[in-house]
Each structure stands twice: as C-alpha cells, then as structure tokens.
C-alpha cells in the first residue's frame, strides 16, 4: 500500500480543507474536504451531498502507511482504489 512522509502529512493541518487526527500512538486519520460541486462548478444550484475523503494510516519509522481509504458521501462509503489514492498522493507531494 501507499506510504507518505509523516512530516508532510502533519503539515496538512495548516490547510483548512484537511483535518489530521491521531487516534493513538501509531494510527492517524486524514480527512480531506474537497470543494463542493457547486463551489467547483460555479453553479449555485448544483445539488449533491457533501463528501470527504477518510484516509487511515499507520505510523512506522517517520512514514504513514495507508491502510484504508474511502470517499464518504452522506451515508454512503466507497473504497478508494490504489490508483485514486496515488493521484491524491501525487498532488500532496507536489504541494
């Protein structure tokens, strides 16, 4: 599974669309809140449930190993596959 630099992940807390929480000494949750469809499209009447990414990782040797990742939309959850997660990680590492 995907591994990220721990310091880079912790820096996400500085951005308003991220929340990083340590669950215990070796596990954390990253929540990413992308712009809403109406914000992204500029259309005020676009309807959709708010969605966010929930990414759970294990901390090992200054790295975060992603063990679970889902998109949460209302009461629905969809597992992110490795390719979708890699796309997000590439964006993260560029920033």
């Amino acid at each position: 599974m995907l591994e990220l630099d721990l310091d880079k992940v912790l820096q996400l807390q500085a951005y308003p669309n991220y929340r990083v929480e340590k669950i215990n000494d070796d596990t954390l949750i990253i929540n990413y809140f992308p712009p809403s469809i109406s914000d992204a499209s500029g259309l005020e009447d676009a309807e959709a449930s708010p969605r966010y990414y929930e990414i759970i990782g294990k901390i090992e040797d200054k790295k975060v190993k992603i063990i679970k990742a889902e998109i949460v939309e209302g009461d629905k959850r969809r597992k992110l596959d490795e390719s979708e997660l890699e796309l997000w990680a590439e964006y993260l590492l560029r920033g």
Side-chain angles (χ1 to χ4, degrees):
M1 195 94 197
L2 189 64
E3 286 187 352
L4 301 169
D5 182 75
L6 176 60
D7 290 333
K8 190 78 169 175
V9 170
L10 294 176
Q11 289 173 3
L12 293 174
Q13 297 176 96
Y15 298 96
N17 54 338
Y18 282 94
R19 185 174 64 216
V20 179
E21 298 177 54
K22 277 186 114 176
I23 298 173
N24 55 43
D25 289 340
D26 69 344
T27 306
L28 55 77
I29 294 179
I30 305 163
N31 288 314
Y32 168 58
F33 303 90
S36 69
I37 292 173
S38 60
D39 287 344
S41 68
L43 302 173
E44 291 182 28
D45 60 348
E47 287 186 35
S49 299
R51 67 179 180 159
Y52 64 94
Y53 293 69
E54 183 177 89
I55 302 162
I56 300 174
K58 284 276 188 197
I59 302 169
E60 298 176 1
D61 300 324
K62 294 294 230 170
K63 297 279 184 191
V64 177
K65 184 181 286 189
I66 305 303
I67 57 173
K68 183 178 178 184
E70 298 177 318
I71 294 178
V72 180
E73 191 167 355
D75 60 350
K76 297 180 213 165
R77 290 178 170 264
R78 180 179 67 82
K79 183 179 177 183
L80 285 169
D81 65 35
E82 185 99 16
S83 65
E84 291 173 301
L85 205 49
E86 286 174 356
L87 215 78
W88 170 78
E90 283 178 30
Y91 172 76
L92 173 68
L93 296 174
R94 274 186 297 175

